[in-house]
Amino acid sequence: MNGMLTILVLLPLAGFLLNGLLGRRLGPAFVNVVGIGLPTLAFLTALWAWRTLEAGGGAPIIETVFTWAVIGEYVFEVSFYLDRLSAVMALIVTGVGALIHLYSIGYMKGDESYARYFAYLNLFLFFMLLLVLGRSLLVLFVGWEGVGLASYLLIGFWFQDVAKARAGRKAFITNRVGDAGFLLGMFLIFTAVGTLEMDLINEAFAGGLIPVGIATAAGILLFIGATGKSAQIPLHVWLPDAMAGPTPVSALIHAATMVTAGVYLIARLSGVYLEAPAASTLIAVIGVLTAFLAATIALVQTDIKKVLAYSTISQLGFMFLALGVGAYGVAVFHLFTHAFFKAALFLGAGSVIHALKGEQDIRRMGGLARRIPWTFATFLIATAAIAGLPPLAGFFSKDEILWFALASGQGGAVWLWALGSLTALLTALYMFRLLWLVFLGTSRMEPETERHVHESPISMTGVLVVLAVFSVVAGWFALPHYLEPLLPLPELQPERAGLHMAQIIFAVMLALLGLLAASWLYREGGKPADLLWQNLQRLHRVLLGRYFVDELYDRGLQRPWRWVSDRVFLRLGDRVLLDGSLHGLAALARRGAEMFGRIQSGSLHWYAWMTLFGIAAVLIWVWRYV
Amino acid sequence: MTTDVNLLLAVSGMLFALGLVGVIVRRNLLVMLMFLELMLNGVLLSLAVFTHLLGAEAGAVLMFLVFTVAAAEIAIAVPIILLLVRSGRTLDPTAYSGLKG
């Protein structure tokens, strides 16, 4: 039907406007109905759109809304494009989105800016759908910037706290760096191809008429944009700080949906990357390094949300590894499963924080399993899923990634696989460490906190249960196969094609090894682990310092830039050049006025004399020149 | 005819110059006003001459218009001067230079 996609995109926007303009006056009941109802309707619309797509045999549905601009022969249209890839993304965004809106009712209850929270969350959904459904890179970019804005607003939601406001700013500025790359890549593609419609770009690159150099440059530039949004090295520093926002926001924006926009972008433009092996190799290397380094940092974090933040960075690294070796469908598969179990983990963490009245330090938790059983059970399932234990969702997607990292004919390499497998081991280790320190063992809570521990309301645990169920079953859906007409899987290297079974067994062994190691290291509140770290003090310090990347940026970029801003731009440019020239002009005008003011003496005779001189001058001039 | 025109124009110029010198030299507001009228008459004389020369009879009408306006001006200017004198007790314009804008 016509207008289906437009309705889908506009529903959350309506929610934003209603809640933003009226929510405060009409009270929380109205906010709930609008804030939960419209995303749910959007999800149903997405389901309907998906059914329509499948009824048409998967042929893309294109819906033009209006013509944005006509410049010479180029026409820029706002149009939506639904194929299997964007349908999967739209379902994830609206589905997980609607669940998290529902969860937020319990979590944000009593907050003084309740309506503002739901307005922002709906705004985020609107921009995310624009990003996912846009046919043109231009529309995608509008959504891309819009989700950045929503992310900024929600990280700094409690802006009275300076540190939180600053975290929002950091996220925004770091993303700006990536966006510069995105824009340049977009310009380059436009000059090379002459259109910004992504399906046409893919066709043009697949036609083989575009030089490899341009494909590589455009691919790397767009990837720079993706590193910003998806928190990959070197622009990963904003995501851990983004945990300053409310926990459901961390679950929705900074784990399940927005941060996967970079993965979606590259999968969407796979036609470009197929022509640019160098750019793909770069993506694989950055991806696997990010996955590994973030996993090592997650091992020593003590804030429950920071552990999950680094885990998200690490899992995104896995997705980029898959993209880099040409397995685009597999990356989307991991994106899909990750959305469920990571949302479950974050919301579980939110439930823990809620139960402990804001406590986030895992050193002051422990023994919560029996006190909050529903949270524990769902957290356990999600942990097992992310660690890659069969038959849960994470097992299937991660195994496929490692398999293609090893065997793909488009850049699969042993070292990528080895580092990826090591990361998978670390993933199991840090996730079970978290589980042990939070839920098992004996309580290390403050007595005052411990007395108030309570299970969260049904609106929160219900959502957790749904997400936990999906963490189990999401992997059974063969998404790469479903996407294959769109995103073909790479050829396998013939000599490694027979190793898949061995790889699966190895991966499961690694996950179990991680589980065993965690259960041994983190019994009794982690005493064996503390002993181990005492022998590795230097490494421990580096990990605790997150490889000192923030400090490096501070020394290498921020301080020199601040110096230049202060000395050159402020003191020289602003105060001397700009202020100087303007003050100079003002002084000139004042002195000139004083001088001419003296002529107006008030003496009638003096005026008559001047009239005489004037007439004489005019007469002389007329006589000489006319 | 030509000499007549030149003569008339010379008289017009002289009337104007005389008026100007009078306005500059005299220190009495009423006298200055009279010299101002003299200047105006000089200009009007030249207007009359040129009107005649070009045969544009509309000029004569314009002349009478200017006379009327000038009379109205004087009718306003003299009361103003009277009011000034009532407060300042002098006809010297330098005494009123404080009135500048």
Side-chain angles (χ1 to χ4, degrees), chain A residues 190-475:
Chain A
F190 187 72
T191 36
V193 185
T195 177
L196 285 172
E197 316 288 337
M198 285 183 282
D199 45 335
L200 303 180
I201 292 172
N202 276 339
E203 270 172 32
F205 275 89
L209 292 172
I210 314 289
V212 178
I214 287 187
T216 308
I220 290 176
L221 285 170
L222 288 173
F223 176 58
I224 291 173
T227 56
K229 191 75 37 194
S230 296
Q232 297 296 291
I233 290 173
L235 298 178
H236 62 285
V237 288
W238 66 271
L239 189 56
D241 289 30
M243 296 302 128
T247 307
V249 170
S250 309
L252 178 61
I253 301 184
H254 305 118
T257 52
M258 184 191 84
V259 288
T260 60
V263 179
Y264 170 74
L265 172 71
I266 289 172
R268 171 54 78 202
L269 289 174
S270 57
V272 177
Y273 288 91
L274 285 173
E275 298 299 309
S280 293
T281 310
L282 179 73
I283 294 176
V285 170
I286 293 281
V288 77
L289 284 179
T290 308
F292 176 70
L293 295 175
T296 54
I297 297 173
L299 276 178
V300 297
Q301 291 297 312
T302 53
D303 180 317
I304 184 168
K305 286 181 72 182
K306 288 272 166 79
V307 175
L308 293 175
Y310 279 103
S311 152
T312 305
I313 298 178
S314 176
Q315 297 302 311
L316 288 166
F318 271 117
M319 294 175 210
F320 279 99
L321 171 60
L323 293 170
V325 296
Y328 304 104
V330 174
V332 177
F333 186 30
H334 196 55
L335 188 167
F336 177 68
T337 57
H338 176 256
F340 295 113
F341 55 70
K342 188 50 68 65
L345 287 171
F346 262 114
L347 297 183
S351 178
V352 169
I353 296 167
H354 190 72
L356 300 187
K357 296 251 184 276
E359 179 65 77
Q360 299 198 6
D361 192 331
I362 55 177
R363 287 169 300 189
R364 289 198 290 272
M365 293 184 187
L368 283 169
R370 258 163 299 143
R371 310 288 299 276
I372 42 176
W374 284 102
T375 307
F376 169 66
T378 51
F379 204 89
L380 176 68
I381 292 172
T383 303
I386 192 176
L389 289 177
L392 305 174
F395 160 73
F396 293 99
S397 52
K398 197 177 291 179
D399 162 67
E400 293 261 300
I401 289 176
L402 291 174
W403 168 238
F404 280 104
L406 177 69
S408 162
Q410 294 173 24
V414 174
W415 79 271
L416 288 178
W417 168 79
L419 202 53
S421 297
L422 185 56
T423 309
L425 170 66
L426 290 175
T427 306
L429 186 58
Y430 69 70
M431 282 315 301
F432 282 110
R433 162 184 180 260
L434 187 63
L435 189 78
W436 244 269
L437 289 179
V438 173
F439 290 102
L440 303 173
T442 50
S443 165
R444 298 180 301 284
M445 286 177 282
E446 313 271 334
E448 182 57 30
T449 321
E450 190 162 2
R451 229 173 306 136
H452 290 109
V453 172
H454 58 282
E455 181 63 289
S456 302
I458 183 98
S459 70
M460 289 164 75
T461 50
V463 170
L464 285 174
V465 169
V466 173
L467 285 171
V469 169
F470 275 103
S471 303
V472 176
V473 302

Side-chain angles (χ1 to χ4, degrees), chain A residues 416-600:
Chain A
L416 288 178
W417 168 79
L419 202 53
S421 297
L422 185 56
T423 309
L425 170 66
L426 290 175
T427 306
L429 186 58
Y430 69 70
M431 282 315 301
F432 282 110
R433 162 184 180 260
L434 187 63
L435 189 78
W436 244 269
L437 289 179
V438 173
F439 290 102
L440 303 173
T442 50
S443 165
R444 298 180 301 284
M445 286 177 282
E446 313 271 334
E448 182 57 30
T449 321
E450 190 162 2
R451 229 173 306 136
H452 290 109
V453 172
H454 58 282
E455 181 63 289
S456 302
I458 183 98
S459 70
M460 289 164 75
T461 50
V463 170
L464 285 174
V465 169
V466 173
L467 285 171
V469 169
F470 275 103
S471 303
V472 176
V473 302
W476 302 346
F477 179 48
L479 198 64
H481 178 67
Y482 173 70
L483 291 173
E484 225 175 336
L486 209 67
L487 303 168
L489 292 172
E491 301 278 316
L492 297 178
Q493 294 177 19
E495 70 274 15
R496 292 181 188 158
L499 295 170
H500 198 174
M501 207 59 213
Q503 140 66 23
I504 290 177
I505 294 166
F506 184 69
V508 175
M509 303 253 288
L510 280 181
L512 289 172
L513 183 64
L515 166 62
L516 287 177
S519 70
W520 183 76
L521 281 170
Y522 294 100
R523 67 204 150 99
E524 299 164 33
K527 278 192 195 109
D530 289 343
L531 271 175
L532 180 69
W533 285 125
Q534 266 165 25
N535 293 327
L536 298 165
Q537 270 182 352
R538 192 170 289 178
L539 179 64
H540 195 219
R541 218 173 304 135
V542 171
L543 293 182
L544 275 180
R546 306 131 176 218
Y547 296 101
F548 306 112
V549 178
D550 277 315
E551 284 75 7
L552 181 74
Y553 287 170
D554 186 46
R555 296 261 164 81
L557 290 171
Q558 199 185 330
R559 281 193 207 171
W561 191 242
R562 203 168 265 194
W563 187 88
V564 168
S565 301
D566 183 45
R567 291 295 156 88
V568 179
F569 293 129
L570 180 64
R571 294 198 191 168
L572 177 71
D574 219 58
R575 297 216 175 123
V576 176
L577 292 182
L578 278 177
D579 285 5
S581 56
L582 290 176
H583 289 169
L585 282 175
L588 193 70
R590 194 179 310 131
R591 245 171 267 145
E594 268 170 25
M595 211 171 68
F596 287 119
R598 238 171 273 147
I599 294 173
Q600 198 184 12

Side-chain angles (χ1 to χ4, degrees), chain A residues 61-125:
Chain A
I61 299 172
I62 298 174
E63 210 175 279
T64 305
V65 186
F66 63 93
T67 304
W68 192 352
V70 181
I71 299 165
E73 57 190 302
Y74 300 114
V75 180
F76 297 95
E77 280 176 339
V78 174
S79 51
F80 298 125
Y81 185 84
L82 189 82
D83 60 359
R84 286 182 168 178
L85 177 57
S86 42
V88 168
M89 289 300 291
L91 284 172
I92 297 174
V93 169
T94 52
V96 177
L99 284 173
I100 289 173
H101 279 76
L102 184 61
Y103 175 95
S104 298
I105 294 180
Y107 193 83
M108 298 302 287
K109 194 171 186 179
D111 194 282
E112 56 179 335
S113 304
Y114 194 69
R116 183 163 63 94
Y117 173 82
F118 277 97
Y120 287 168
L121 220 52
N122 275 336
L123 180 70
F124 166 76
L125 270 192

Side-chain angles (χ1 to χ4, degrees), chain B residues 3-59:
Chain B
T3 40
D4 281 359
V5 168
N6 281 343
L7 188 67
L8 283 169
L9 282 181
V11 170
S12 140
M14 276 169 66
L15 275 176
F16 182 80
L18 207 63
L20 191 58
V21 170
V23 169
I24 290 170
V25 174
R26 298 307 299 262
R27 296 270 176 232
N28 183 317
L29 274 171
L30 280 174
V31 177
M32 283 166 76
L33 217 54
M34 287 184 225
F35 277 114
L36 220 57
E37 286 304 304
L38 210 58
M39 284 166 77
L40 197 62
N41 285 346
V43 174
L44 284 175
L45 183 57
S46 73
L47 178 64
V49 172
F50 285 120
T51 305
H52 184 67
L53 204 61
L54 298 172
E57 302 305 329

